[in-house]
Amino acid sequence: MRTENLFIAGLGTWVPGFEPVAEAVRQGRYDAERARAEGWTGVAFAGDVSAPELAAGAGVEALKRSGLDADRISLVLHAGTFHQGPDGWYAANYVQDKVVGTAVPAIGLDQGCTAMLDALHLAHGHLAVGPGGGAVLVTAADNFGAPLVDRWKYADGWTAGRGSVLGDAGCAAVVSTEGGPLRIRSLALSSLSRWEHLYRGEDPVFPPRPGLTVETSLGRRMAAHADRLDRDGGHDAEGGSRRAVAGDLVRARTALARQAMEEAGIGPADVTRVTHVFSGHPRYLETLLEPLGIDPGRGMLDLGRAHGHLGAGDQFLSLAHLVETGAVSPGDHVLMMGNGAGISLACSVVEVLEDPGW
């Protein structure tokens, strides 16, 4: 979808601290051989700062940078990929109260790692049918330091071409129709819902098991289900289901990125940088970008290696970093790519209009 008059007026992030990979290896929490093979150098580490606090801190920064008053925000959208707080309590209202403090609606998104990109679609629709003008605050945050999630091992058992460790951060964007230093040129969403069973695995859907009483082991769940599919003859050889989903994902992700670029009126040569799910290994960027004819060096390998996978925030922390460090300039285009559990897919093309001096 080509978008008109849709801008990012402000971006904000909050990363309270970092934990080096070397320290996790020294303490026996991360295997030394895996560390060398996967390429991560550290993870963003929030300690006991909750995910909603991280989101609110990032939101305050994004709103300040936007130059807009809080009463210009007409909707708050908040996402997280892990538990945000007590059952029956919703973090979106916390973020709204701490950042905006008005009576506008606050809505939580349960859309995994593409949630912030998905939220741009919702913001666009909301602003398009609204009374005119205004802005939407979009936030995402996770703290993976809870006892029953192991940030170093949650994906063990499943090889997705990049390895994965988890980092903690808050990210925020103020999306406006009233202008801003970044213009959203296109938005594209898709899904591979025929593979939702891979993430569901063998676990029963009902009764649901509370996540804070059962260790989160996504990799083992996916691997066990894939192995059963192969044993039952769903695919023609051992490991066939893994190859099938990987092939489907590459094709769908590539097609969606091409759609986003075409709708933005640009080609691969016009893409200055690409923001994506963080990886520690260059192989993932090669798989992601070479089918598009984009040099993997335009990705965010080094930044991602130092932070770990941030749930829904990788693309927006990257975008903020590119703008803040002057790595992109007016006239440059950033392709934002995401995929998440389900399987959800999302892309956007963002054009830099001016240096905001953040």
Side-chain angles (χ1 to χ4, degrees), residues 123-211:
H124 178 257
H126 172 81
L127 293 169
V129 301
V136 174
L137 174 66
V138 177
T139 66
D142 278 295
N143 182 333
F144 295 106
L148 288 174
V149 61
D150 187 333
R151 70 175 73 247
W152 303 104
K153 299 177 182 178
Y154 86 103
D156 279 8
W158 182 263
T159 301
R162 66 185 176 93
S164 194
V165 298
L166 297 172
D168 312 329
C171 298
V174 174
V175 182
S176 173
T177 56
E178 299 178 0
L182 307 174
R183 178 187 173 195
I184 301 171
R185 295 283 302 274
S186 67
L187 296 166
L189 298 181
S190 184
S191 70
L192 288 171
S193 296
R194 63 182 175 275
W195 284 108
E196 64 79 22
H197 59 87
L198 184 65
Y199 289 81
R200 173 165 43 93
E202 307 298 303
D203 290 358
V205 174
F206 188 86
R209 297 191 300 176

Side-chain angles (χ1 to χ4, degrees), residues 2-225:
R2 181 177 179 86
T3 55
E4 302 291 345
N5 299 318
L6 190 65
F7 304 89
I8 297 177
L11 287 167
T13 62
W14 187 15
V15 180
F18 292 90
E19 180 176 5
V21 158
E23 180 62 17
V25 171
R26 188 188 68 81
Q27 295 180 6
R29 293 181 290 121
Y30 189 33
D31 180 73
E33 184 176 343
R34 276 190 55 202
R36 286 190 294 270
E38 293 178 354
W40 302 99
T41 60
V43 294
F45 180 72
D48 60 0
V49 181
S50 71
E53 290 176 272
L54 294 172
V60 167
E61 181 175 60
L63 184 60
K64 180 179 179 180
R65 285 175 165 181
S66 75
L68 298 175
D69 293 332
D71 61 9
R72 298 302 299 151
I73 302 295
S74 57
L75 174 67
V76 175
L77 299 172
H78 172 71
T81 62
F82 189 60
H83 290 274
Q84 301 285 294
D87 288 343
W89 171 86
Y90 299 98
N93 299 95
Y94 175 95
V95 175
Q96 202 273 30
D97 181 59
K98 297 299 181 184
V99 182
V100 182
T102 61
V104 301
I107 298 173
L109 302 181
D110 182 20
Q111 193 57 22
C113 301
T114 61
M116 281 196 81
L117 288 168
D118 296 331
L120 297 183
H121 267 264
L122 299 179
H124 178 257
H126 172 81
L127 293 169
V129 301
V136 174
L137 174 66
V138 177
T139 66
D142 278 295
N143 182 333
F144 295 106
L148 288 174
V149 61
D150 187 333
R151 70 175 73 247
W152 303 104
K153 299 177 182 178
Y154 86 103
D156 279 8
W158 182 263
T159 301
R162 66 185 176 93
S164 194
V165 298
L166 297 172
D168 312 329
C171 298
V174 174
V175 182
S176 173
T177 56
E178 299 178 0
L182 307 174
R183 178 187 173 195
I184 301 171
R185 295 283 302 274
S186 67
L187 296 166
L189 298 181
S190 184
S191 70
L192 288 171
S193 296
R194 63 182 175 275
W195 284 108
E196 64 79 22
H197 59 87
L198 184 65
Y199 289 81
R200 173 165 43 93
E202 307 298 303
D203 290 358
V205 174
F206 188 86
R209 297 191 300 176
L212 292 182
T213 62
V214 179
E215 182 176 1
T216 300
S217 52
L218 182 61
R220 291 194 294 273
R221 183 199 311 160
M222 294 171 66
H225 185 60

Side-chain angles (χ1 to χ4, degrees), residues 158 192 194-195 197-198 226 229-230 234-252 343:
W158 182 263
L192 288 171
R194 63 182 175 275
W195 284 108
H197 59 87
L198 184 65
L229 290 177
D230 293 339
H235 293 87
D236 57 7
E238 183 179 357
S241 56
R242 289 173 170 81
R243 289 192 294 274
V245 68
D248 281 357
L249 178 58
V250 168
R251 287 187 289 273
I343 295 172

